[in-house]
Amino acid sequence: MTTTRTLKALLGGAAAAFLLASPAAAQDFTLRFNHVLGPAEPFHEGFLAWAERVRERTGGRLEIDVFHSAQLGVEEDIIEQIRQGANIGQNTDSARLGTYVPSIAVVNGPYLVADKQEAFSLTDSPTMQGWLDELAADHGIRVVCFDWVQGERNFFTNTPIRTPEDLAGQRIRTPPAPIWQESIRALGAEPVAMAFGDVYSGLQNRAIDGAELVYSNITARNMNEVLEYANETRHILLVNFQIVSEQWFQGLPEDIRGVLVEECRAAGQATSNRIADVQEAAKRQLVAAGMTVVEDIDMEAFRAAGLKAFEVLGLGEAAAQIRGELAN
């Protein structure tokens, strides 16, 4: 590769300066983007589409290399590299980001947002923007966008669930973050932290009585073989965040930063719309396989019960602020 010093020697200072400043010699940037999902998942295809649009619009000045199945490492390690300024990105959720800015965890709380359109409009929330600024300024984490909605989580069990009381004594698998644990406890069940890959065997061995997941999680692992009921509580809308290093982000030219954000939002919303169709298809597949869908849920009772999770974690005011801004 020809260096700046070699160019100056060959062409002279003025000519080298002109060449180095020209678009053809503009500095190139690379982002290595990591996520835990498999290569056949809609999110992976969405990330590839995001990468392609960024490459096209920047003329190749920014290349995003997408790595599926956690090929670059576990999420917690990736986030630490991000904080140190590495040119690496990660698909994550607000529960993990709540480790740094506790209030942002409310996004993963019960019934905070009603649908994907409300999730998209969170970008316009002044309170949310304040939390994002704090993540960037104090913790080195830049949220590029969070328009990636993975679907509504429901309770999947071997007994029908219609009210929070029906979950009493039920050991329900959920991720280990406090907002997840307290949400499931508030809704009436006993939360059990367990890796997603262990859920099938956990149900077989009766270490757990059920799980709270999206429909496509059930079809992907054939969990209908060990679960009978899909109870449509729709208690959490799973919103994903795409994060990079604030230091790396600020090192990009302004026009590239704009493209990165714009195309993240566009790809996220397109992928979210597709996932809604995927979830409906998964639901039909499960019904055809014999799973019973319980739709006559006392949603008012579940929403009222879910409020306790925010109060226990000291997030009641934060949740109220977000809901108020979404309503305006």
Side-chain angles (χ1 to χ4, degrees), residues 53-304:
R53 285 293 295 147
V54 168
R55 186 193 64 77
E56 290 175 353
R57 287 190 59 191
T58 64
R61 293 170 64 200
L62 174 56
E63 294 277 355
I64 302 177
D65 297 327
V66 180
F67 297 84
H68 61 78
S69 307
Q71 290 173 307
L72 296 183
V74 298
E75 196 163 326
E76 290 75 12
D77 291 344
I78 297 297
I79 292 176
E80 188 54 36
Q81 292 179 53
I82 285 171
R83 297 186 65 206
Q84 298 302 317
N87 62 324
I88 194 167
Q90 177 71 41
N91 173 61
T92 191
D93 57 58
S94 70
R96 284 183 173 84
L97 296 179
T99 302
Y100 306 98
V101 178
S103 294
I104 204 170
V106 298
V107 177
N108 272 150
Y111 304 106
L112 186 81
V113 291
D115 52 37
K116 62 179 183 294
Q117 293 303 324
E118 276 200 353
F120 300 157
S121 66
L122 278 172
T123 298
D124 302 320
S125 159
T127 297
M128 175 63 76
Q129 285 302 321
W131 296 338
L132 299 183
D133 290 344
E134 184 178 347
L135 269 174
D138 296 347
H139 304 286
I141 298 171
R142 164 65 60 165
V143 173
V144 180
C145 81
F146 48 95
D147 297 68
W148 299 72
V149 179
Q150 208 167 350
E152 295 171 321
R153 294 174 80 90
N154 299 302
F155 286 104
F156 293 86
T157 59
N158 285 307
T159 58
I161 304 298
R162 293 181 173 85
T163 69
E165 288 73 24
D166 293 334
L167 282 167
Q170 295 277 311
R171 295 161 299 170
I172 302 295
R173 178 271 173 186
T174 195
I179 187 65
W180 293 97
Q181 296 280 297
E182 292 303 329
S183 293
I184 300 316
R185 185 174 288 112
L187 294 174
E190 178 185 339
V192 177
M194 179 181 289
F196 176 63
D198 296 333
V199 173
Y200 190 103
S201 60
L203 289 162
Q204 280 185 314
N205 300 330
R206 298 190 177 181
I208 53 175
D209 301 304
E212 51 93 34
L213 296 163
V214 297
Y215 274 112
S216 59
N217 291 149
I218 305 301
T219 56
R221 297 296 180 95
N222 297 317
M223 290 186 202
N224 54 294
E225 297 172 352
V226 287
L227 290 165
E228 295 184 30
Y229 293 92
N231 309 283
E232 291 195 333
T233 50
R234 302 178 180 179
H235 52 276
I236 292 174
L237 188 66
L238 187 53
V239 179
N240 286 245
F241 290 63
Q242 314 315 323
I243 61 172
V244 298
S245 163
E246 171 68 1
Q247 179 181 330
W248 176 83
F249 184 81
Q250 293 301 333
L252 297 175
E254 184 176 356
D255 63 322
I256 292 183
R257 293 200 302 265
V259 168
L260 184 66
V261 172
E262 288 171 13
E263 294 304 332
C264 183
R265 298 205 68 189
Q269 293 186 21
T271 302
S272 300
N273 290 333
R274 182 186 171 201
I275 282 181
D277 295 335
V278 168
Q279 298 303 338
E280 282 300 314
K283 176 180 175 178
R284 291 193 297 271
Q285 180 180 337
L286 291 170
V287 169
M291 180 171 276
T292 299
V293 176
V294 179
E295 297 179 323
D296 56 331
I297 304 291
D298 187 345
M299 296 300 291
E300 184 176 345
F302 271 104
R303 288 192 181 94

Side-chain angles (χ1 to χ4, degrees), residues 33-47:
F33 188 83
N34 187 65
H35 69 89
V36 302
L37 301 169
E41 292 276 359
F43 263 37
H44 180 65
E45 295 179 13
F47 295 142

